[in-house]
Amino acid sequence: MSSPSTSLRRTLTYAGARSVLDAAVAHAERIGVPVNVCVADASGDVLTAARMDGAALMSYPIAVDKAYTVAAFQGLPTHAWFDLIKDEPALREGIVHRDRLVVFAGGVPVRVDGEVVGAVGVSGGSAEQDREVAEAGATAGS
C-alpha cells in the first residue's frame, strides 16, 4: 500500500537480471565479440555482471557506468545522449565531466509492461555492437 509520502516501484530481481545477462552473453558469443555485461536494478545498483573471456578489463567499469546512466536517467539509453546535448555547448562540455555518465551506445533500459525495471550496460565491442548485445539482453528481461 502506498501513501502520499511513499511509492511502490517495480524493479528487476536477481533472477530477472540473470536472464538478461545470459541473453546478452549468448548474443555476444553468436556475433563473436567478447564484452563486459552489467545488469542493474531500477536504482542503478548492480545485480549481476560478467566479463567474457577476452573482454578488455578496462571495459568492465564502462559497462557498469552505462547501466547506471540508464537507470539514473529513468531509462534514457546511452546512445540517445549525444543527440540531446550536441547543440548545447555548455551542457555538452559540462555534463560529460559528471562521474559515471556515459554518452555513447551500449546502455539500454530493461522494461516490463513499459515500466523501467532495470538497465543493462555492455562494453568491449564497437558502440553499435555494444548496443546490439545490450538490446538482446534487455529483450530477455521484458
Side-chain angles (χ1 to χ4, degrees):
M1 185 166 145
S2 64
S3 72
S5 60
T6 64
S7 67
L8 298 176
R9 183 175 187 189
R10 290 171 48 182
T11 191
L12 202 56
T13 63
Y14 173 71
R18 279 305 307 257
S19 295
V20 171
L21 178 78
D22 292 346
V25 168
H27 189 79
E29 288 173 340
R30 275 193 299 281
I31 65 171
V33 179
V35 295
N36 295 276
V37 180
C38 173
V39 184
D41 65 14
S43 296
D45 292 321
V46 175
L47 288 170
T48 190
R51 182 166 63 95
M52 294 174 64
D53 294 339
L57 180 59
M58 187 134 194
S59 292
Y60 178 81
I62 296 170
V64 172
D65 289 348
K66 286 179 181 184
Y68 177 81
T69 296
V70 173
F73 285 92
Q74 302 168 337
L76 181 66
T78 57
H79 64 266
W81 270 95
F82 186 76
D83 283 341
L84 291 175
I85 64 175
K86 69 181 179 184
D87 296 326
E88 296 188 48
L91 180 60
R92 184 184 65 238
E93 300 302 321
I95 201 164
V96 296
H97 297 290
R98 298 295 309 158
D99 287 344
R100 304 192 69 189
L101 176 70
V102 179
V103 299
F104 46 87
V108 299
V110 177
R111 297 180 189 274
V112 173
D113 300 329
E115 183 179 354
V116 176
V117 297
V120 57
V122 175
S123 184
S126 69
E128 285 311 307
Q129 289 168 328
D130 290 352
R131 178 179 175 182
E132 178 183 332
V133 171
E135 288 175 345
T139 300
S142 303

